[in-house]
Amino acid sequence: MSDPFSTAIRRYMPWSEYRALKANLSHGSLIGRADISRAETDARLATLRNAEEQWGFVYLGERQWLERRLEQNSAITYGEWVRDVLEDTVFYGYSYEVNFYLGGHWKGYTENLSLFWLPPELPFDNTEFVWVCVTISGDEAGICNLNLCHLFDILHDLSYYLNKFYNGHRERMSFGEIWVLNGYQWGMCTATDYGHLPYDFCGQTRIPFSESTAWLTPNVTAIAESIDANGAFDQMPILADALEEAGCDDGDVLDHFRHERRHTQRCLILDRLLGKK
């Protein structure tokens, strides 16, 4: 199977240009279609091949998926193709786990991602890609197909998300975890010289936090100050419970504190909760 993440075809471009091309190429996509005629396939392949030749832009893996359908005279769905790609190219195994906060989910560990996402235009000398853990929601029957496709989208766009990260940060960075818990939001935990930082992209970089002084009850403040003073980041779920009891309805904040993400030295959201700059 050819590599859908190959930088031999994909030309790196600024984030805004990439997003514009992606939005444009999404029109007319056959992904998700059940019945696809040969004429529609040929027309779409021509459009996608032209985009690759003219701009070095690859729209997800749609071209390779359609080519496989033709070559094998198969009705394989895009989701099935994505599953095969991730199993053959990125992951070396999944394991099913049950977590009190996340419920049932699957974890996969990647091969060396540096083979895929190191375009020379970006300053990746200080970036480590090895052995990233990916958490995907699902149940005992298997991983949610929608989330697998969403994960493929994230991995395919990873170089461009990283460029957004590098717009404001130049310190050494490595990955901790990428998680896709539903079909609409996702996050990536990045480790820098200053500790683990959460980045929930959803189309743009942001630190998920909406302050409200009403949340800062004496109990919340005491727990937050204790975690900060003692580096007791294993107590983060307790802080999430206290925040929720105080009226916090920011799902991003609660999700961040309740996830099994390893913090070291500092946490930006905790800093902001305590009024630190």
Side-chain angles (χ1 to χ4, degrees):
M1 180 181 296
S2 55
D3 177 13
F5 308 104
S6 173
T7 56
I9 299 175
R10 302 175 68 204
R11 185 182 313 143
Y12 181 77
M13 60 191 72
W15 171 254
S16 57
E17 183 180 345
Y18 179 85
R19 292 287 292 180
L21 283 172
K22 184 175 180 180
N24 184 55
L25 263 293
S26 68
H27 298 296
S29 173
L30 299 180
I31 293 174
R33 287 275 304 276
D35 298 318
I36 305 173
S37 69
R38 177 59 188 263
E40 289 176 309
T41 299
D42 289 342
R44 182 61 177 169
L45 282 172
T47 298
L48 295 172
R49 288 166 180 161
N50 179 69
E52 293 182 9
E53 181 179 351
Q54 183 173 356
W55 300 302
F57 178 82
V58 180
Y59 180 73
L60 304 181
E62 187 175 4
R63 175 183 61 80
Q64 294 187 31
W65 163 60
L66 291 173
E67 288 175 344
R68 179 172 170 184
R69 284 174 62 99
L70 291 180
E71 291 169 359
Q72 299 183 356
N73 191 26
S74 165
I76 183 173
T77 67
Y78 180 73
E80 291 169 337
W81 178 85
V82 165
R83 181 199 62 208
D84 291 348
V85 168
L86 293 180
E87 290 179 352
D88 294 346
T89 309
V90 178
F91 292 107
Y92 65 87
Y94 303 98
S95 62
Y96 180 68
E97 300 180 7
V98 178
N99 176 278
F100 178 75
Y101 295 110
L102 304 183
H105 61 276
W106 290 82
K107 284 202 172 187
Y109 294 87
T110 70
E111 296 286 358
N112 187 348
L113 297 183
S114 63
L115 300 175
F116 304 131
W117 294 288
L118 287 177
E121 296 86 348
L122 293 183
F124 284 167
D125 290 343
N126 292 326
T127 304
E128 297 177 355
F129 285 86
V130 182
W131 313 129
V132 177
C133 176
V134 175
T135 300
I136 318 170
S137 62
D139 55 28
E140 293 175 322
I143 300 171
C144 174
N145 188 65
L146 173 63
N147 290 337
L148 271 181
C149 291
H150 193 49
L151 174 64
F152 180 87
D153 189 351
I154 295 163
L155 294 175
H156 193 274
D157 295 349
L158 189 54
S159 292
Y160 303 92
Y161 288 120
L162 289 177
N163 183 47
K164 287 285 287 185
F165 179 91
Y166 269 106
N167 283 340
H169 301 271
R170 298 288 172 177
E171 64 269 17
R172 176 181 173 277
M173 184 183 79
S174 62
F175 287 121
E177 183 177 3
I178 297 172
W179 56 95
V180 183
L181 299 180
N182 56 55
Y184 303 97
Q185 290 189 348
W186 67 280
M188 180 172 70
C189 192
T190 58
T192 73
D193 291 338
Y194 299 98
H196 280 64
L197 310 180
Y199 279 81
D200 289 340
F201 291 100
C202 307
Q204 61 181 344
T205 306
R206 66 188 183 90
I207 299 294
F209 192 74
S210 302
E211 292 109 326
S212 172
T213 55
W215 302 347
L216 299 180
T217 63
N219 186 40
V220 167
T221 301
I223 294 171
E225 289 177 345
S226 176
I227 291 172
D228 181 59
N230 300 306
F233 295 112
D234 60 325
Q235 302 299 308
M236 289 290 208
I238 297 176
L239 177 59
D241 291 342
L243 279 166
E244 192 167 28
E245 290 177 3
C248 174
D249 59 357
D250 190 321
D252 288 330
V253 174
L254 300 176
D255 176 71
H256 171 69
F257 288 146
R258 283 173 172 160
H259 263 72
E260 294 179 328
R261 300 174 197 153
R262 183 170 57 88
H263 292 75
T264 58
Q265 300 181 45
R266 63 180 290 214
C267 167
L268 287 187
I269 299 181
L270 184 65
D271 283 354
R272 290 181 62 179
L273 191 66
L274 293 172
K276 295 184 177 182
K277 300 297 182 181

